[in-house]
Amino acid sequence: MAASLRFRDLLIRRLMAPTPQGLSLSLRPMSSKAQEEAPKEAPDHSYESLRVTAAQKHILHVQLNRPEKRNAINRACWREMVECFSKIAQDPDCRAVVISGAGKLFTSGIDLTDMASDILQPQGDDVARISWQLRNLISRYQESFNVIEKCPKPVIAAIHGACIGAGVDLVTACDIRYCAQDTFFQVKEVDIGLAADVGTLQRLPKVIGNQSLVNELAFTSRKMMADEALGSGLVSRVFPNKEDMLEAAFTLAEEISTKSPVAVQSTKVNLIYSRNHSVAESLNYMATWNMSMLQTQDIVKSVQAALEKKDLKSVNFSKL
């Protein structure tokens, strides 16, 4: 009993301790060793439209990798996003992900030249069958970004240049968004005669909490520049250029990767559940979730480190 009370007191002191200064980001930059080493291709990740590298220990870097096509999202990309993030979700070594665009911009949106036949000439013998085919197609495309949200590993979007159409669908499915000063966001779909159908209209209102602004952006397809994106809450930080932004994104990912993966991934799952449910339902779900997660050894390791006055970054958490 005495040991139990002592453990409880240690845990309470740990939880009440002030958060270390630094996520405003005096987060330390990547070590010189990390900067000097060329990123290694991640095993089991070979794609046409994406490049996945092991940026640092426990961190994967996913790049939209069609710079010659302005990273336009084609059939291969829709398919490979599902494969990529399904693998990441099951990767016990990965604790955080940074997603960015290769070349001069994040993405110019869907590749209309590649996908025109799917959209404009759907297969089917009559209206019912054509409609059924189109619904299946839209649902598959929706899943390409749903997998980012479903992935329990935190995903940081590092955005530069243009983020158009499907790019907005993609980044609103991410957990944290950073951008460079040259970035603009554009809900472009009305300009090509359709309503955005793979996530923007559903997620953007919850991300920025301003329905009037969402309506304005979606009805007009006007550009939202970086400073407005910061002020509206679409991004949490703006950087002078792509290089500084990526360095900050990897520094943040490194910081996240030092935390208990049980704690971090449980937090993501419950944040997303709470977004879509009432407070009462979410608290009930949280209690059910933590009745098992509170039994993790990660709590014991963290409290022991605090007791011994060790840097928490030195704690070796098991894979998850």
Side-chain angles (χ1 to χ4, degrees), residues 7 10 36 54 63 79 98 113 128 149 171 186 196 225 290 312:
F7 178 83
L10 285 169
E36 290 168 4
Q63 285 181 287
R79 180 181 69 253
V98 174
T113 58
E149 190 171 86
V171 301
Q186 192 171 19
M225 309 309 288
N290 257 8
L312 288 178

Side-chain angles (χ1 to χ4, degrees), residues 1-191:
M1 187 65 174
S4 176
L5 290 172
R6 191 161 57 251
F7 178 83
R8 185 195 66 183
D9 291 342
L10 285 169
L11 181 58
I12 290 172
R13 285 205 300 273
R14 165 75 189 286
L15 293 174
M16 296 299 289
T19 302
Q21 295 298 314
L23 271 175
S24 56
L25 248 48
S26 70
L27 278 179
R28 52 197 167 78
M30 287 187 289
S31 66
S32 57
K33 181 180 179 182
Q35 289 176 326
E36 290 168 4
E37 292 177 355
K40 299 176 182 178
E41 299 292 330
D44 301 322
H45 287 281
S46 178
Y47 308 109
E48 295 175 36
S49 65
L50 305 174
R51 182 179 183 227
V52 183
T53 54
Q56 299 176 49
K57 185 179 180 182
H58 302 310
I59 301 168
L60 290 178
H61 183 196
V62 178
Q63 285 181 287
L64 303 178
N65 194 33
R66 302 181 73 217
E68 73 287 351
K69 296 291 186 180
R70 294 162 52 88
N71 293 328
I73 299 175
N74 61 356
R75 288 189 184 96
C77 189
W78 293 109
R79 180 181 69 253
E80 290 172 350
M81 287 290 289
V82 176
E83 181 182 351
C84 176
F85 277 92
S86 296
K87 287 180 179 178
I88 290 173
Q90 299 299 320
D91 183 352
D93 283 318
C94 179
R95 296 184 184 177
V97 182
V98 174
I99 185 166
S100 69
K104 296 181 179 180
L105 50 78
F106 186 74
T107 177
S108 58
I110 64 172
D111 189 335
L112 289 171
T113 58
D114 182 67
M115 298 170 57
S117 61
D118 287 345
I119 298 170
L120 301 178
Q121 298 175 316
Q123 301 300 307
D125 294 335
D126 57 25
V127 171
R129 288 169 175 80
I130 292 172
S131 299
W132 199 271
Q133 176 71 13
L134 279 172
R135 188 181 192 282
N136 288 340
L137 181 70
I138 295 165
S139 296
R140 287 202 308 272
Y141 290 163
Q142 289 174 344
E143 188 61 18
S144 298
F145 300 148
N146 287 345
V147 289
I148 298 174
E149 190 171 86
K150 291 176 182 177
C151 177
K153 320 301 170 76
V155 180
I156 302 163
I159 310 149
H160 74 290
C163 180
I164 299 171
V168 181
D169 296 304
L170 191 163
V171 301
T172 53
C174 297
D175 302 296
I176 299 167
R177 287 163 294 277
Y178 283 178
C179 78
Q181 189 65 57
D182 68 349
T183 304
F184 69 85
F185 300 86
Q186 192 171 19
V187 185
K188 186 69 172 173
E189 284 80 357
V190 293
D191 280 351

Side-chain angles (χ1 to χ4, degrees), residues 147-291:
V147 289
I148 298 174
E149 190 171 86
K150 291 176 182 177
C151 177
K153 320 301 170 76
V155 180
I156 302 163
I159 310 149
H160 74 290
C163 180
I164 299 171
V168 181
D169 296 304
L170 191 163
V171 301
T172 53
C174 297
D175 302 296
I176 299 167
R177 287 163 294 277
Y178 283 178
C179 78
Q181 189 65 57
D182 68 349
T183 304
F184 69 85
F185 300 86
Q186 192 171 19
V187 185
K188 186 69 172 173
E189 284 80 357
V190 293
D191 280 351
I192 56 172
L194 56 89
D197 55 5
V198 291
T200 290
L201 302 185
Q202 292 70 38
R203 293 189 177 99
L204 187 59
K206 295 180 179 180
V207 169
I208 69 175
N210 185 332
Q211 189 67 53
S212 177
L213 179 56
V214 171
N215 293 348
E216 178 187 335
L217 295 169
F219 295 160
T220 66
S221 79
R222 77 162 176 84
K223 295 177 181 179
M224 173 187 267
M225 309 309 288
D227 289 338
E228 186 182 5
L230 178 63
S232 70
L234 178 56
V235 301
S236 49
R237 297 194 70 198
V238 176
F239 297 85
N241 53 58
K242 178 182 179 181
E243 292 72 24
D244 289 350
M245 174 199 59
L246 282 172
E247 182 175 345
F250 284 120
T251 301
L252 178 62
E254 183 182 11
E255 181 75 12
I256 292 170
S257 73
T258 65
K259 311 297 185 185
S260 157
V262 171
V264 171
Q265 294 178 41
S266 294
T267 297
K268 175 170 177 175
V269 168
N270 279 274
L271 282 171
I272 292 172
Y273 186 92
S274 296
R275 183 195 65 191
N276 300 325
H277 296 80
S278 70
V279 172
E281 290 170 325
S282 301
L283 286 171
N284 184 59
Y285 187 83
M286 185 79 250
T288 304
W289 184 277
N290 257 8
M291 72 184 191

